[in-house]
Amino acid sequence: MIRPAFVLIAAALLGGCFYSEDALIGRFSAQFPLEDGFYSHTPYHPDGRPFDRPAWSGQIERRGARYVSDDENFPHQRTRLRELAPGIYAAQRESEGQFLYGLLYVYEGGRVATYHQPQCADLSEAARTTYELVQHEEEPGACEVSDWNRLEGTLLSYIAEHDGNVPIDGVYRRVD
């Protein structure tokens, strides 16, 4: 999960994801492991196969405390990252007045990233209880996270419960 347009965040709808009403990764806690540059983005099919060609390419850069692109249809516009463990980041992206969270893995010194949009339903009931996650009323598979410590614990628990082998939803590769 290592692309600047990542995170988290591949889905624009709640659809089982982790979300918050307020930003849990603020401008002063954001980190920038990805290099500015020209990237290609290749999503993956649900069965784990990558698409046969990139679905998006363009310039990604750090602007303010976010990753952005002036190129049309950048799937992860205005993403912020914060490290959970070496090379593993929580990704935050705003969508329709809420903040969505995903996982990003950074490789090759910030030139490649893979991402995954964790699903609340794929986290154990014990972890959901431990971190006091609140299920969304209209979208029962989506869970609200209220603060950074709960988000960090939730995402690290998700990784541990999947033995570190989370699916890849897409890849960003720097091509310049």
Side-chain angles (χ1 to χ4, degrees), residues 8-171:
L8 76 161
I9 299 209
L13 302 174
L14 290 177
C17 70
F18 299 104
Y19 74 97
S20 67
E21 297 297 324
D22 298 312
L24 303 181
I25 302 174
R27 92 177 280 112
F28 297 112
S29 61
Q31 296 170 308
F32 306 95
L34 302 171
E35 298 179 356
D36 287 1
F38 192 88
Y39 284 80
S40 67
H41 169 249
T42 304
Y44 277 48
H45 295 280
D47 66 6
R49 293 177 300 114
F51 281 34
D52 61 353
R53 62 182 166 265
W56 180 88
S57 352
Q59 185 72 25
I60 298 173
E61 62 184 29
R62 173 185 165 189
R63 197 174 304 151
R66 295 181 173 94
Y67 286 104
V68 299
S69 179
D70 292 332
D71 293 305
E72 192 174 333
N73 299 320
F74 178 47
H76 297 100
Q77 191 71 281
R78 299 174 43 110
T79 296
R80 282 187 180 157
L81 303 176
R82 184 167 175 187
E83 192 169 51
L84 297 166
I88 304 171
Y89 293 81
Q92 169 187 283
R93 184 175 63 84
E94 189 173 3
S95 177
E96 299 181 13
Q98 294 181 324
F99 295 89
L100 306 179
Y101 298 93
L103 291 165
L104 182 82
Y105 290 76
V106 176
Y107 306 95
E108 297 181 20
R111 296 180 60 84
V112 175
T114 62
Y115 65 91
H116 173 61
Q117 177 64 55
Q119 303 297 300
C120 186
D122 292 340
L123 185 65
S124 70
E125 182 64 35
R128 289 194 300 267
T129 300
T130 297
Y131 296 108
E132 301 173 348
L133 301 179
V134 177
Q135 289 194 333
H136 190 273
E137 292 175 16
E138 297 167 12
E139 192 66 50
C143 288
E144 184 174 5
V145 183
S146 59
D147 61 52
W148 169 255
N149 290 334
R150 283 186 174 93
L151 177 64
E152 179 181 40
T154 296
L155 293 176
L156 289 172
S157 292
Y158 183 92
I159 293 167
E161 289 180 4
H162 289 83
D163 296 323
N165 297 313
V166 299
I168 295 174
D169 294 333
V171 174

